[in-house]
Amino acid sequence: MLDPRLFRSELELVQQQLKRRGIDFDAETYLGLENRRKDIQVKTQELQNERNTRSKAIGQAKGKGEDIQPLLDQVQDLGDQLKSAEAELGEIQARLNNIMEGVPNMLDAAVPAGKSDADNLEISRWGDLPQFSFTPKDHVDLGEPLGMNFELGAKIASARFVVLAGKLATLQRAIIQLMLDTHTNEHGYQETYVPFLVNADSLRGTGQLPKFEADLFTVKNDPAFYLIPTAEVPVTNIVRDVIVDAKHMPLKYVCHSPCFRSEAGAYGSDVRGMIRQHQFEKVELVQIVKPEQSAQAHEDLTNHAETILKKLKLPYRKVLLCAGDTGFSSSKTYDLEVWLPGQQKYREISSCSNFKDFQARRLQARWRNPETGKPELVHTLNGSGLAAGRTLIAVMENYQNADGTITVPEVLRQYMGGLDRID
RNA sequence: GGAGAGAUGGCCGAGAGGCCGAAGGCGCUCCCCUGCUAAGGGAGUAUGUGCCAAAAGCGCAUCGAGGGUUCGAAUCCCUCUCUCUCCGCCA
């Protein structure tokens, strides 16, 4: 959520910013509501003040043993007035809040203009594309003989699920281990284990609700649970309604979790293979930082994710998402795209975002600034470090051999009992 | 699943319809004093929010959450959530 005061004092700026995302903000409706809000809030608070003052007087009169009946008569109709004012105020605030919750974050100045991923800005490339003396297969063709079974996933659950057997399953676990070990031992993150079902408050805090409910799986319960679409949700919510001690910052968490996405609206895209599943494994990096540190933290966090690709010697490129492709809650996002020989394409394997105070405001996640002594909003960041399912695909495709076997990358062998080849 | 107890500020804890945004203690910050020194004294110390460009100031809201009773609710009533204890079941 953006700062409501920004809407009040700098509406044009907000409108301009939203235009970068291709959003036409309805200022007229907003202003109408906001003006009414101001009137009614002032009126309501005046009435409350009057009630409080008079009630206090009644109490004092009673204490002195005076006749309070005349005082009671005076406040008779106050209650009704207050009730209707409060009701109206509540309704207007709910409507304003609705509008505000639907407004995406302001983009960082560095974010390039553009409408779709075609307009994203390539920042760098790393690694040499592998040269094959044969036509490289994609992970589906490679995987099926090795224990990657989509039919079984469909039988057990539905399309967009997979069963991994044997060494492929182990390979994915090794990948996860490598990521966790690297981020905890080399990058200073604290490993975290969290609930994979969360409540609506948590999803509101990180921005998935109310706007993106269709992307989530819901679990019948009262109140409902949601399957996490990313560990970002439970992990970032660690600091919801918390005032973090400045001494403990930055907070850096790494968390491996399954992720569940309904992929509503993704019908027909990436239907083949493990690229887009309802359930996949991911190692997530989350940082809670002081505002002045978030830009640097964003670079660092992205580098931390890149480290994994480098350790695995997987060629990738780093792109800065353009205005139209940057997510709702993010102010600036780098995507890391890994080379997939089977598709002859770079595909997203990590998305690293600086949310600045957008999530923090929804979360009421703050820190106490020693200079002012006051609680101030923190900045939150997160990024995949990396998506494990897609990393598995990338390893398979980049390390494939002519005979359909897969060489195990050196850094992973320690996690696989020294195994150097999957066949 | 059954039975019971509880939820108050950073922490502990009082509070039983008005003088309570809340005693007292601990902790923390600042100041003072001091060679009876791992001591003493004093002051300060919740959050959100409205009016305001902002500060100051003046309000409003918040005692687990939501609703109700009342002129007035931390306090009474209802619903829910969470925590703890015991029993049952169980990875």
Side-chain angles (χ1 to χ4, degrees):
Chain A
M1 195 152 71
L2 297 176
D3 189 347
R5 274 168 290 207
L6 201 64
F7 278 83
R8 289 178 210 153
S9 58
E10 314 248 15
L11 188 56
E12 276 183 31
L13 177 80
V14 174
Q15 270 183 299
Q16 275 173 22
Q17 282 289 319
L18 291 177
K19 208 151 250 165
R20 296 191 64 198
R21 287 187 184 260
I23 292 170
D24 221 348
F25 183 68
D26 181 0
E28 212 169 306
T29 305
Y30 164 78
L31 278 174
L33 280 170
E34 171 56 20
N35 287 331
R36 276 176 66 202
R37 190 224 99 228
K38 193 190 279 194
D39 286 350
I40 290 161
Q41 184 157 359
V42 169
K43 185 176 140 204
T44 305
Q45 293 187 353
E46 277 170 1
L47 285 169
Q48 285 169 328
N49 186 12
E50 192 178 337
R51 178 204 57 198
N52 293 346
T53 312
R54 288 180 185 263
S55 292
K56 202 163 266 184
I58 291 172
Q60 283 165 355
K62 208 175 172 184
K64 290 184 210 150
E66 294 168 7
D67 179 17
I68 58 168
Q69 194 53 47
L71 292 170
L72 286 178
D73 292 342
Q74 283 175 20
V75 291
Q76 229 174 17
D77 54 340
L78 203 61
D80 289 341
Q81 284 182 49
L82 227 186
K83 214 167 231 176
S84 73
E86 279 173 346
E88 195 179 353
L89 180 62
E91 194 230 338
I92 288 171
Q93 277 178 329
R95 283 170 65 187
L96 272 173
N97 199 44
N98 221 14
I99 292 175
M100 308 287 263
E101 279 195 329
V103 174
N105 199 359
M106 306 241 273
L107 295 167
D108 190 279
V111 172
K115 287 190 172 169
S116 72
D117 57 358
D119 302 314
N120 293 342
L121 184 68
E122 183 174 302
I123 304 288
S124 61
R125 287 188 184 213
W126 183 92
D128 299 321
L129 302 191
Q131 302 300 315
F132 297 99
S133 57
F134 54 94
T135 306
K137 295 176 179 167
D138 79 355
H139 69 281
V140 179
D141 290 339
L142 281 167
E144 273 170 350
L146 299 175
M148 180 179 287
N149 193 329
F150 294 97
E151 279 172 34
L152 207 43
K155 180 180 85 172
I156 297 168
S158 84
R160 295 199 192 275
F161 285 93
V162 71
V163 172
L164 297 178
K167 294 302 175 203
L168 283 185
T170 311
L171 181 59
Q172 177 169 257
R173 174 162 58 82
I175 285 167
I176 292 164
Q177 292 260 104
L178 169 71
M179 293 177 188
L180 287 171
D181 284 352
T182 302
H183 295 313
T184 53
N185 297 333
E186 297 172 27
H187 301 148
Y189 290 79
Q190 183 181 51
E191 187 168 350
T192 313
Y193 175 79
V194 293
F196 302 151
L197 300 182
V198 297
N199 58 35
D201 281 344
S202 293
L203 288 156
R204 236 188 309 278
T206 35
Q208 283 80 10
L209 288 181
K211 233 185 160 178
F212 305 102
E213 181 158 24
D215 298 340
L216 302 165
F217 283 113
T218 311
V219 176
K220 269 189 195 156
N221 187 63
D222 190 23
F225 284 131
Y226 298 84
L227 294 174
I228 57 170
T230 158
E232 162 196 348
V233 177
V235 174
T236 311
N237 270 276
I238 289 172
V239 293
R240 169 150 56 90
D241 294 323
V242 170
I243 299 174
V244 181
D245 195 325
K247 295 199 282 268
H248 298 142
M249 296 174 84
L251 295 173
K252 296 165 76 177
Y253 299 110
V254 59
C255 180
H256 159 237
S257 84
C259 303
F260 303 92
R261 301 195 180 171
S262 76
E263 296 299 344
Y267 302 112
S269 62
D270 295 320
V271 285
R272 181 178 163 84
M274 272 181 72
I275 286 279
R276 192 172 299 279
Q277 297 270 287
H278 285 313
Q279 172 186 322
F280 61 94
E281 301 299 303
K282 182 158 60 66
V283 171
E284 185 75 359
L285 304 172
V286 172
Q287 290 200 32
I288 312 296
V289 306
K290 298 173 188 171
E292 73 266 21
Q293 292 171 343
S294 75
Q296 184 58 48
H298 187 212
E299 302 299 323
D300 294 345
L301 185 146
T302 308
N303 283 332
H304 297 152
E306 288 177 63
T307 302
I308 304 298
L309 289 162
K310 287 176 179 166
K311 284 193 174 196
L312 289 168
K313 298 192 167 66
L314 293 170
Y316 70 93
R317 61 176 199 150
K318 175 176 170 183
V319 301
L320 175 57
L321 298 194
C322 74
D325 206 27
T326 301
F328 179 80
S329 300
S330 176
S331 84
K332 184 182 179 187
T333 299
Y334 291 119
D335 270 9
L336 302 178
E337 298 179 346
V338 71
W339 177 253
L340 292 185
Q343 294 193 1
Q344 293 289 302
K345 265 189 205 158
Y346 284 102
R347 292 301 306 256
E348 177 187 340
I349 197 166
S350 172
S351 194
C352 301
S353 299
N354 185 355
F355 301 93
K356 300 193 178 165
D357 63 9
F358 186 86
Q359 290 182 326
R361 186 169 294 104
R362 292 172 164 234
L363 292 161
Q364 281 303 300
R366 292 161 296 165
W367 67 298
R368 197 174 293 278
N369 186 343
E371 284 174 27
T372 61
K374 297 277 181 210
E376 296 173 13
L377 295 172
V378 300
H379 279 194
T380 63
L381 306 99
N382 70 52
S384 350
L386 309 160
R390 287 189 181 178
T391 307
L392 174 69
I393 294 173
V395 167
M396 289 171 68
E397 294 194 7
N398 281 278
Y399 282 83
Q400 63 181 294
N401 303 306
D403 61 358
T405 62
I406 292 159
T407 302
V408 176
E410 249 166 83
V411 281
L412 293 178
R413 291 178 192 173
Q414 58 175 311
Y415 300 109
M416 298 190 71
L419 187 74
D420 61 4
R421 175 180 288 246
I422 295 173
D423 51 24

